[in-house]
Amino acid sequence: MTAHGASREATASARERLDALTDNTSVNAGTLANELAAVTALLDREVSLRRVLTDPAQAGEAKAELVQRLFGGQVGGETADLVSGMVRSRWSQSRDLVDALEELADLADLTAAQQANALDDVEDELFRFGRIVTSNTELRAALTDRAATASAKGELLRSLLGGRADATTERLVTRLVTAPRGRSLESGLESLSKLAAERRNRLVAVVTSAVPLSDTQKQRLGAALAKLYGHQIHLNIDVDPEVLGGIRVQVGDEVINGSLADRIEDAGRRLAG
């Protein structure tokens, strides 16, 4: 997907909201992926509806209310709220909204794989499947045949991947093949591989402090952790008065404890070094 201007900003905001949702362990990322994919398919078909939902002349709140009326009883609250937030944003083209929804569905599936410690396998399987398709012209022709039905292509993929690849890999490839939305098979697989690599390189730090952190403290702590781990760090911040003026940082299975002053001072030393 190539977004421009307003759509790029809207997509970035939607991805941040998705990250916030899926970082919450109570949210089922796999369910979220399936529901986002269903909304994507509907808006891809219903051109007039997506134009209404991206019409800059319509108030954002009115468009969000329309989403809640249309989808509120069909999908979970998290999905409906996420889509509602997206239609409040400004989009350069109506199709960009559908592209962004499709990307979020893929990211949610990859997040589910990451939570199940299967993301490395999925990334490897996507790469290997791409190589197989490139080297097998008959298979590529079958998977891209416009005369073949989506169900026939899905059945072919089940025979190829079922029981041999992670369920997330099968879902991602099946969505790409049965609903390419103008993408070539190769470019779609490449995009999925890039999303998987991006997700694998993302680290989340759960920060618990006695008082809310200032923006400056968040920036300094995030920069220090990024330097320490060699990856961009997403901070999930919780306030717990029982920390007694201190701070607790958990990245994966590693826990860092220390006073807030000491940690911020250490962040400054790391940045200065």
Side-chain angles (χ1 to χ4, degrees):
M1 178 186 73
T2 302
H4 301 280
S7 292
R8 185 186 298 112
E9 294 179 5
T11 301
S13 296
R15 289 182 63 161
E16 289 179 2
R17 290 194 292 271
L18 176 70
D19 284 342
L21 276 175
T22 54
D23 286 342
N24 185 335
T25 56
S26 67
V27 175
N28 187 310
T31 298
L32 193 61
N34 289 335
E35 293 178 347
L36 287 168
V39 175
T40 300
L42 174 63
L43 294 185
D44 191 48
R45 294 192 306 269
E46 301 295 336
V47 178
S48 59
L49 175 57
R50 74 169 183 255
R51 286 177 177 167
V52 169
L53 293 176
T54 55
D55 184 355
Q58 300 295 322
E61 194 56 38
K63 291 184 285 189
E65 290 176 358
L66 176 58
V67 166
Q68 292 291 341
R69 290 199 302 272
L70 290 173
F71 301 117
Q74 309 298 319
V75 299
E78 292 87 1
T79 302
D81 289 345
L82 183 57
V83 178
S84 295
M86 293 176 73
V87 300
R88 288 189 182 96
S89 297
R90 191 175 185 88
W91 298 89
S92 304
Q93 302 179 61
S94 63
R95 189 174 179 83
D96 292 345
L97 170 63
V98 189
D99 289 341
L101 280 164
E102 181 178 58
E103 181 176 292
L104 293 190
D106 293 339
L107 281 170
D109 249 335
L110 291 168
T111 300
Q114 185 176 41
Q115 292 170 347
N117 296 317
L119 186 56
D120 286 349
D121 289 339
V122 170
E123 186 178 3
D124 181 61
E125 288 165 358
L126 288 170
F127 173 76
R128 286 191 286 112
F129 186 75
R131 297 296 292 270
I132 291 170
V133 167
T134 300
S135 62
N136 190 325
T137 56
E138 290 185 0
L139 175 60
R140 185 189 185 283
L143 293 175
T144 58
D145 184 0
R146 294 184 179 182
T149 64
S151 59
K153 293 178 182 178
E155 185 59 37
L156 174 58
L157 287 171
R158 278 191 292 274
S159 69
L160 293 170
L161 300 176
R164 299 179 180 86
D166 188 89
T168 297
T169 304
E170 186 174 350
R171 283 195 301 272
L172 290 169
V173 173
T174 298
R175 281 206 299 267
L176 170 63
V177 169
T178 58
R181 302 189 56 250
R183 297 171 296 177
S184 71
L185 182 53
E186 291 82 2
S187 66
L189 288 169
E190 182 180 359
S191 295
L192 289 173
S193 294
K194 288 180 178 178
L195 286 177
E198 176 185 317
R199 188 73 212 179
R200 179 171 50 78
N201 289 329
R202 178 179 178 273
L203 293 178
V204 176
V206 179
V207 180
T208 306
S209 65
V211 296
L213 302 183
S214 68
D215 289 341
T216 298
Q217 288 171 327
K218 293 176 187 176
Q219 291 171 3
R220 292 172 67 182
L221 180 58
L225 290 170
K227 188 171 183 179
L228 178 64
Y229 287 96
H231 290 286
Q232 181 180 356
I233 302 288
H234 175 78
L235 300 181
N236 281 346
I237 299 177
D238 188 27
V239 176
D240 182 359
E242 293 186 3
V243 178
L244 300 176
I247 187 169
R248 179 181 186 273
V249 179
Q250 181 170 352
V251 180
D253 294 330
E254 184 176 2
V255 177
I256 304 170
N257 286 297
S259 73
L260 179 57
D262 288 346
R263 298 310 299 172
I264 297 301
E265 183 179 350
D266 183 58
R269 287 198 300 269
R270 289 182 181 278
L271 288 176

